[in-house]
Amino acid sequence: MALGLNRIWVRFGLWITATVLVTIGALTAGVLLISELQYRAFYKHLPDAVRTELDTLTAQDLDDSPRALQIYSEYWGGDLHFGEKWSLLVGLAVSLPFGLGVGFWVSRRITRPLASMVEVAKRIEAGDLGARAVKSDAHGEMAAMIDTFNGMVEALETLESERKATAASISHELRTPLTVLQVRLHALCDGVIEVNSAELQVLLAQTAHLARLVDDLHTLSMADAGQLSLNRQRLDLADLVGEVVEHIHPQLQMQDMTLNLDLPVELGDGAADINADADRMRQIVNNLIGNVLRHARDGRWLGVSVTIESNARGEAQVVLRISDAGPGLPAELRSHPFQRFAQAPGKRRKEGSGLGLSIVKALTTSQGGTVEADTSERGGTRFTLRFPPIR
């Protein structure tokens, strides 16, 4: 009931109905008032004998008797429609100001939030993304509209902040290898540095870093545009994860990392099958494990598991978890671990492009999954990916 009354058209209709009912009541009251005044004037001017006779007839409930009608026709003077005319005038005098007042009041209540939205839209057009519409005393659908509008503005403000931060970070990430290349190439040309294999390896590494950064940016831009190339097919996630871990196992041994691989799902039974692109899923797993090797190798532990679980609605999901025992996410990343270039521009980055986790999220969501980051059972970081299974 409360939800229905909160709808604008319901409340507007109720106000119109109330206005009409009050108007009808005013007209009725006017008719009764004028009729009563006319009757009193008529009764006052009756001769005493006739007044007594009329009182007797009224007491006997004979107001419509021939004699009573004869008295009315003989002694009633003036315009027969006098009462109706005056009651109409009185009704209009009451209902017209009332109707106008209610109309202006309702219109003001409806247009006040809209006027606030128009003002905020103008400020946004001028570049002020910090402006917000005011709900005032609005409620129901109007309040929901204001909240939605303000939510849209907040999203625009966040997007603009991320755009500026991303632009600053991209310029920083590109400037560093380009500066190294430029300085070293000038030194080579001037003969300051001898051309040898080691120097060429340094230049090649900087070029590879630039290429990797450009490839990552291209992947993210395609995902944002909804044009990411995906060859989705039936895929056993447990089988794929086991394959990736097997290939990366030599790196784990080189860094003395203990592997805890938990694939309880029997391979090939179809329980962990999802609809996904095999190459993109390998990229996701490689990015997450590579993140552990770069930032959490001091923990000397890597946990990888694939399980079948149910969500809050009781729907089955294929869940991939990759955990470590490292120091955990830095403080500046905990609230937004998947933001692009989450590290502040200018802060030295030892390895990676700063886009690995952003790519993980983009690839996961584009394939119908979800990803979240929290603390692992060993105090490090745990990434949890959920995908709907194929039945």
Side-chain angles (χ1 to χ4, degrees):
M1 182 62 180
L3 180 62
L5 292 177
N6 279 332
R7 297 189 178 277
I8 296 176
W9 62 271
V10 172
R11 288 186 285 134
F12 195 72
L14 290 176
W15 279 113
I16 293 177
T17 302
T19 303
V20 171
L21 291 176
V22 171
T23 302
I24 294 175
L27 291 174
T28 303
V31 171
L32 294 176
L33 177 62
I34 297 300
S35 298
E36 180 65 20
L37 292 176
Q38 281 187 299
Y39 181 79
R40 290 185 179 183
F42 155 76
Y43 184 80
K44 181 179 179 180
H45 291 89
L46 287 175
D48 293 340
V50 176
R51 186 184 301 118
T52 301
E53 183 181 4
L54 184 60
D55 290 341
T56 302
L57 293 173
T58 302
Q60 297 176 356
D61 199 18
L62 296 175
D63 291 337
D64 297 331
S65 64
R67 176 53 185 164
L69 295 177
Q70 181 183 1
I71 293 173
Y72 284 123
S73 63
E74 183 177 349
Y75 292 98
W76 190 280
D79 187 1
L80 295 176
H81 300 289
F82 177 81
E84 287 79 356
K85 292 178 181 179
W86 273 99
S87 62
L88 179 60
L89 290 176
V90 172
L92 289 176
V94 173
S95 61
L96 185 59
F98 176 80
L100 289 174
V102 171
F104 287 137
W105 181 74
V106 173
S107 299
R108 179 59 178 163
R109 284 179 61 90
I110 292 176
T111 58
R112 185 183 302 163
L114 296 178
S116 177
M117 290 173 61
V118 170
E119 178 64 26
V120 170
K122 290 180 179 179
R123 292 173 62 182
I124 292 173
E125 184 181 10
D128 181 11
L129 293 177
R132 297 292 184 273
V134 180
K135 286 195 292 188
S136 186
D137 55 354
H139 58 277
E141 286 181 318
M142 188 61 67
M145 181 178 66
I146 295 293
D147 290 337
T148 302
F149 179 81
N150 286 336
M152 178 191 67
V153 177
E154 290 176 3
L156 289 175
E157 186 178 24
T158 301
L159 184 62
E160 179 64 13
S161 298
E162 290 180 356
R163 185 191 66 80
K164 292 179 179 178
T166 300
S169 297
I170 289 175
S171 64
H172 169 74
E173 295 293 335
L174 291 175
R175 185 184 297 113
T176 301
L178 286 174
T179 300
V180 173
L181 286 171
Q182 186 178 23
V183 170
R184 290 187 172 273
L185 286 173
H186 274 302
L188 289 173
C189 292
D190 295 340
V192 177
I193 298 178
E194 181 182 353
V195 179
N196 54 43
S197 177
E199 186 60 32
L200 293 178
Q201 287 293 334
V202 172
L203 297 178
L204 182 61
Q206 296 299 324
T207 305
H209 176 69
L210 281 173
R212 184 169 60 252
L213 180 61
V214 172
D215 287 343
D216 289 348
L217 289 171
H218 178 262
T219 299
L220 288 174
S221 63
M222 295 297 289
D224 289 342
Q227 298 179 356
L228 189 63
S229 175
L230 293 172
N231 181 25
R232 300 179 66 175
Q233 55 188 347
R234 193 181 190 97
L235 172 69
D236 189 328
L237 183 59
D239 188 17
L240 181 139
V241 170
E243 173 190 328
V244 173
V245 171
E246 182 179 355
H247 289 162
I248 208 169
H249 197 262
Q251 297 183 43
L252 298 177
Q253 291 179 326
M254 290 177 59
Q255 298 195 25
D256 195 23
M257 298 279 290
T258 300
L259 173 65
N260 183 8
L261 182 61
D262 184 10
L263 303 178
V265 180
E266 184 179 350
L267 300 182
D269 67 353
D273 286 1
I274 61 175
N275 183 24
D277 185 313
D279 291 334
R280 297 299 187 184
M281 291 304 303
R282 289 189 185 93
Q283 186 177 1
I284 290 173
V285 178
N286 278 316
N287 277 7
L288 291 176
I289 295 180
N291 189 70
V292 173
L293 295 177
R294 283 192 298 271
H295 304 293
R297 53 177 172 261
D298 293 341
R300 306 297 182 187
W301 179 80
L302 170 66
V304 181
S305 67
V306 175
T307 58
I308 309 300
E309 301 177 5
S310 297
N311 59 17
R313 298 187 296 272
E315 300 169 342
Q317 291 183 319
V318 181
V319 181
L320 166 64
R321 289 188 175 90
I322 296 180
S323 312
D324 62 65
L329 290 171
E332 66 269 19
L333 299 183
R334 290 171 188 166
S335 60
H336 46 273
F338 302 102
Q339 180 178 327
R340 303 172 190 182
F341 301 113
Q343 266 184 318
K347 188 173 182 180
R348 184 174 181 81
R349 192 189 311 279
K350 295 181 179 179
E351 298 179 73
S353 66
L355 297 173
L357 295 182
S358 300
I359 290 177
V360 167
K361 182 176 182 180
L363 294 180
T364 301
T365 55
S366 65
Q367 297 181 96
T370 61
V371 59
E372 59 185 16
D374 58 4
T375 303
S376 71
E377 61 271 24
R378 299 200 178 192
T381 305
R382 176 176 59 192
F383 292 94
T384 303
L385 291 77
R386 304 175 188 275
F387 296 92
I390 296 179
R391 296 303 184 195

